[in-house]
Amino acid sequence: MGEAAEYFSKDFDWEELRIRVENDPLLQYHLLPFQPCDSIPSVSAEADSDAWSRFHLRHSSGKFFKERRYLLKEFPELVSCKKNCKVLEVGCGNGSTALPILRGNQNIVIYACDCSTKTLQRAKEILNDVGIASLKDRFRPFYCDFSTSKFPTWLACNSCRGNTSLQQPSFTTPEKEGSQATESEESECCIGGVDFLTLIFTLSAVPLQRMPASIRECYMALKPGGLLLFRDYGLYDMTMLRFGQDQRVEFREYVRLDGTRSYFFCLNTLRDLFVTAGFVELELEYCCVKSLNRRNGKSMERVWVHGKFQKPVS
């Protein structure tokens, strides 16, 4: 079995995992309503950014850095999209998502943002080290923390953000065979929005109270008919169950020792967030994978959420 198989297999049933977790006395604290504790200080957006910057700089090379090649099979639209296809990657980190997408389709240009300028610089260095000029030319990084501010107007200006008559995305769907955007169709004031927006292990780092506005901002950056491609931590993932009670900072939200935070999603929460923002749900499911820890030989049960959401044409 290749690398793709271990990511796409349904190795266990999520409902069976839920029953086991919810009946385990040692895990009951994960299920309780969150009671704020005075010992847990509130953390600013700047502190969150600094924590993730340190994380990516610490793990930007060696065995930790792995290209997420499985995304091309999870989201085949990224392979089949036509010339001048624009992707906005939100929370690009060290480039582990952008690199396989750029390799997989030479028609794609990626506009990649992150809340850390140091992380963006490291992502640029990693892509430069690949030594393929066309990849570097199609990678357009910029600073933006979408959890606290809007995307820049050159991406989608105030007029275009609410304009549903913009050109349709440049990928082919059964309903719009042969639809293709060209540079001549672009708005004169901005790039006219993007065909795809990726949220790959990004939204979980945003505090829950800031998620609705952040998702709405993603909605506004997409062209009508554009797709938001989502993958993130799912409820009762092994990582969640390893957090101690003192690491809870909100319900289903935890802080690591390095200061980075993570929320663990159930399907209903995600559905409500995206539908409320205006999206149409196309796909939404748990991805349940068993992997082997080579150091101790133990099996690990990983739970991720896979989703595809579309901005309506009108």
Side-chain angles (χ1 to χ4, degrees), residues 187-200:
S187 167
E188 293 181 359
C189 55
C190 65
I191 69 168
V194 295
D195 305 292
F196 298 98
L197 189 147
T198 61
L199 280 177
I200 309 298

Side-chain angles (χ1 to χ4, degrees), residues 82-84 167-171 176 178-182 185:
K82 304 301 182 179
K83 189 176 181 180
N84 300 321
Q167 71 273 18
Q168 298 307 306
S170 55
F171 56 89
K176 290 182 172 57
S179 174
Q180 181 174 334
T182 65
E185 294 173 319

Side-chain angles (χ1 to χ4, degrees), residues 127-182:
L127 265 76
N128 289 340
D129 289 344
V130 174
I132 303 176
S134 63
L135 297 188
K136 180 178 66 174
D137 294 341
R138 293 184 288 115
F139 183 65
R140 315 281 176 81
F142 65 98
Y143 172 83
C144 180
D145 183 350
F146 84 127
S147 74
T148 59
S149 61
K150 293 183 177 182
F151 292 121
T153 54
W154 59 257
L155 191 70
C157 68
N158 292 333
S159 175
C160 291
R161 284 165 63 90
N163 186 0
T164 57
S165 64
L166 288 172
Q167 71 273 18
Q168 298 307 306
S170 55
F171 56 89
T172 302
T173 65
E175 293 80 12
K176 290 182 172 57
E177 189 70 29
S179 174
Q180 181 174 334
T182 65

Side-chain angles (χ1 to χ4, degrees), residues 12-28 31 235-237 241 286 288 301 303:
F12 58 92
D13 184 78
W14 185 84
E15 279 295 328
E16 293 179 0
L17 173 65
R18 179 190 65 80
I19 292 172
R20 279 192 282 121
V21 170
E22 295 181 0
N23 285 280
D24 189 334
L26 298 177
L27 299 175
Q28 289 303 298
L31 316 178
L235 188 60
Y236 303 145
D237 174 57
L241 302 181
Y286 289 117
C288 301
E301 292 181 319
V303 180

Side-chain angles (χ1 to χ4, degrees), residues 73-236:
K73 292 191 175 182
E74 285 283 275
F75 305 115
E77 297 88 348
L78 293 172
V79 179
S80 62
C81 65
K82 304 301 182 179
K83 189 176 181 180
N84 300 321
C85 181
K86 298 176 181 64
V87 176
L88 172 58
E89 186 192 355
V90 181
C92 67
N94 55 23
S96 59
T97 295
L99 188 51
I101 294 175
L102 291 169
R103 288 186 193 271
N105 190 334
Q106 63 181 0
N107 293 318
I108 283 179
V109 174
I110 290 185
Y111 298 88
C113 70
D114 200 275
C115 63
S116 165
T117 55
K118 292 180 180 178
T119 300
L120 288 170
Q121 182 58 40
R122 184 57 185 144
K124 289 169 63 177
E125 293 171 357
I126 289 175
L127 265 76
N128 289 340
D129 289 344
V130 174
I132 303 176
S134 63
L135 297 188
K136 180 178 66 174
D137 294 341
R138 293 184 288 115
F139 183 65
R140 315 281 176 81
F142 65 98
Y143 172 83
C144 180
D145 183 350
F146 84 127
S147 74
T148 59
S149 61
K150 293 183 177 182
F151 292 121
T153 54
W154 59 257
L155 191 70
C157 68
N158 292 333
S159 175
C160 291
R161 284 165 63 90
N163 186 0
T164 57
S165 64
L166 288 172
Q167 71 273 18
Q168 298 307 306
S170 55
F171 56 89
T172 302
T173 65
E175 293 80 12
K176 290 182 172 57
E177 189 70 29
S179 174
Q180 181 174 334
T182 65
E183 294 292 340
S184 62
E185 294 173 319
E186 305 263 341
S187 167
E188 293 181 359
C189 55
C190 65
I191 69 168
V194 295
D195 305 292
F196 298 98
L197 189 147
T198 61
L199 280 177
I200 309 298
F201 296 100
T202 296
L203 192 63
S204 58
V206 176
L208 182 61
Q209 65 269 24
R210 297 210 299 258
M211 287 186 192
S214 301
I215 295 172
R216 183 62 181 175
E217 186 62 17
C218 292
Y219 179 92
M220 302 302 288
L222 277 166
K223 297 177 182 178
L227 294 181
L228 186 148
L229 309 177
F230 182 90
R231 191 167 178 106
D232 217 321
Y233 295 108
L235 188 60
Y236 303 145

